[in-house]
Each structure stands twice: as C-alpha cells, then as structure tokens.
C-alpha cells in the first residue's frame, strides 16, 4: 500500500524530512514549497489525503483544511501558546521544555483538535531546536498516517502568543546576561532576524552565543553602518 502525502514548507531545513519519507517504499511525497503551489487541484491530482505543514508562513485557505487532513506542527503545548513566534515566546518566558504538537488546521489560529504531542527541549540555538523538532516529525507523521489517528479537542484555558517583531530582538533592554544569551540563541536560525544592539552610527548583530568560565556571553558579531544593510 502506497501512502500519498503532501508536505508544505519553503524552508530548506525540512528537505531531509521530505527525502526520508519519500525514500520509503510505502510513501510518495508531494513537496509544496511556494504559496501558489498549495491548491486543492494539485493535492487532488496527486491523490493526497494528508497535508503536513512543518513551517508555513502563509494562511492555509479553507479549500485546503476543509477538504484534506491538514496538520500543523506547532511548538507549544496547546492551548497554551496559540499564535506566532512560539519558540521565541517560550524562551523569553523562561521555558526550557515544550511540546511539539500536531494539530488539525481549522479557521481559528491554532485552535484545532490535536493528533499527537511529543516532548521537545528548548536548549541550544533556534536552528538546533528546529532540527530536533524535524527529527520528531518523521515518526509522528508515520504514526498519524499508518494508524489513521483521529484528533481530539484541546482542553484548558487558551494562552495566546503574539508574533514578535524584529525590533524586539534588541539586547539593550536585557536585564541579565542570561537574557542576552537567550535573545541571541533564540533568533539564531536561517530566516530569522538576529539579535542586535545599536550605537549612534552602527548596528551590531549577534549569532553563535556561548558562555565563558566567568559567565560572560561570547558571540560572533557582525557590525555595519545603519544605512548599509547589505
């Protein structure tokens, strides 16, 4: 039996997930990278019943989530943390662990019923956390598809998260060195604006944060004039 599924994400970090599933004899995978590729016609032509969204930057239209089993991977223990920038919002709130949740997409933001949850560490850089999450997605997808899992409604009082802006990556207002370290690592991933500080003329962006024996934060810095963003 060949299982035909779609994975919708434009982030290259999930190419390994696609290739690992597609390499299996019992799976065929349609990889959708761009917004205009996600259409009901394309999914029906391929024969996909399931559509998985590891990291999708656009609204999923009703023609998709009303006609297919559209599954979002969200990095919080919903209903806690519905909304944007889940990884960063968790870290600034002091969390060191979370849940990677697979939930059914519906019209409300992260309000759909839940298929699965798995524990996920928030240690390391954002890119390292995304890599751990990606590794969890493969067995989660297989469990959902092969066992024909049915989602169950969320329980508890919702706690919404608001999408963070690039300006909130400024370390100037950080009250402790722990906070500085967290700001740098939680934004250290492809596609994210780096943590930064500014002087009168220059902007300094930080990546690759670490701590030395004294507790000081060490990091790689990129310095450029504010009017030169190249």
């Amino acid at each position: 039996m060949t299982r035909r599924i779609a994975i919708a994400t434009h982030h290259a970090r999930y190419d390994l997930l696609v290739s690992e599933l597609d390499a299996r004899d019992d799976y065929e995978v349609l990889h959708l990278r761009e917004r205009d590729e996600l259409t009901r016609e394309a999914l029906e032509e391929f024969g996909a019943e399931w559509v998985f969204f590891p990291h999708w930057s656009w609204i999923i239209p009703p023609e998709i989530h009303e006609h297919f089993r559209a599954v979002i991977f969200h990095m919080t223990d919903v209903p806690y943390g519905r909304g944007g920038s889940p990884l960063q919002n968790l870290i600034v709130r002091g969390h060191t662990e979370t849940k990677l949740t697979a939930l059914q997409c519906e019209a409300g933001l992260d309000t759909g019923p839940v298929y699965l949850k798995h524990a996920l560490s928030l240690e390391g850089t954002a890119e390292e956390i995304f890599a751990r999450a990606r590794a969890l997605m493969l067995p989660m997808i297989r469990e959902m598809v092969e066992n024909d899992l049915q989602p169950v409604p969320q329980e508890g009082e919702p706690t919404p998260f608001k999408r963070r802006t690039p300006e909130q990556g400024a370390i100037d207002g950080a009250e402790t060195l722990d906070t500085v370290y967290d700001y740098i690592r939680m934004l250290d991933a492809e596609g994210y604006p780096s943590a930064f500080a500014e002087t009168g003329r220059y902007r300094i962006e930080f990546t690759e944060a670490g701590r030395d024996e004294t507790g000081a934060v060490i990091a790689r810095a990129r310095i450029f004039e504010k009017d030169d963003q190249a």
Side-chain angles (χ1 to χ4, degrees):
M1 176 182 177
T2 299
R3 299 172 172 91
R4 303 172 72 83
I5 67 171
I7 296 180
T9 178
H10 61 283
H11 293 279
R13 67 173 63 94
Y14 300 105
D15 287 353
L16 180 60
L17 173 66
V18 174
S19 62
E20 286 176 334
L21 279 164
D22 207 28
R24 297 184 57 84
D25 293 337
D26 53 345
Y27 277 83
E28 288 189 24
V29 182
L30 175 64
H31 190 183
L32 305 170
R33 295 182 181 273
E34 302 298 333
R35 184 179 186 180
D36 58 4
E37 294 177 349
L38 181 65
T39 66
R40 180 177 177 180
E41 293 75 18
L43 293 172
E44 288 179 340
E45 182 178 353
F46 181 74
E49 179 183 359
W50 296 80
V51 189
F52 295 97
F53 296 86
H55 195 155
W56 189 249
S57 300
W58 303 286
I59 293 174
I60 300 169
E63 69 170 20
I64 303 302
H65 64 72
E66 291 178 359
H67 294 92
F68 303 91
R69 301 179 77 172
V71 181
I72 299 167
F73 286 97
H74 191 68
M75 206 176 285
T76 74
D77 190 3
V78 295
Y80 180 83
R82 292 177 181 172
S85 308
L87 186 157
Q88 291 77 23
N89 275 305
L90 287 166
I91 289 177
V92 298
R93 286 165 170 79
H95 294 281
T96 59
E97 298 279 337
T98 187
K99 299 285 189 181
L100 179 65
T101 298
L103 66 150
Q104 177 68 26
C105 176
E106 59 179 33
L109 185 60
D110 303 322
T111 59
V114 172
Y115 287 97
L116 288 170
K117 292 182 180 182
H118 276 277
L120 177 66
S121 169
L122 294 173
E123 296 299 316
T125 66
E127 198 64 60
E128 291 169 343
I129 297 167
F130 285 134
R132 284 198 295 272
R134 183 195 64 221
L136 289 174
M137 291 174 190
L138 178 61
M140 291 174 75
I141 289 173
R142 291 194 58 195
E143 184 173 353
M144 284 182 274
V145 174
E146 294 170 27
N147 295 328
D148 191 29
L149 292 189
Q150 300 301 311
V152 298
Q154 297 180 27
E155 295 182 355
E157 186 68 24
T159 301
F161 282 174
K162 185 176 180 180
R163 184 173 297 279
R164 291 176 62 86
T165 66
E167 290 73 22
Q168 289 178 290
I171 67 171
D172 306 60
E175 295 182 358
T176 68
L177 285 174
D178 288 342
T179 304
V180 172
Y181 173 72
D182 283 343
Y183 269 46
I184 297 172
R185 72 183 183 88
M186 76 183 192
L187 293 168
D188 194 354
E190 182 182 356
Y192 282 78
S194 298
F196 69 94
E198 290 185 342
T199 67
R201 181 177 178 182
Y202 298 105
R203 180 182 175 99
I204 309 166
E205 294 184 344
F206 302 99
T207 56
E208 301 178 26
R211 308 297 290 268
D212 68 14
E213 64 277 1
T214 71
V217 177
I218 55 176
R220 180 171 182 167
R222 176 175 177 261
I223 306 170
F224 54 92
E225 295 188 21
K226 291 180 182 179
D227 59 356
D228 180 11
Q229 299 294 316

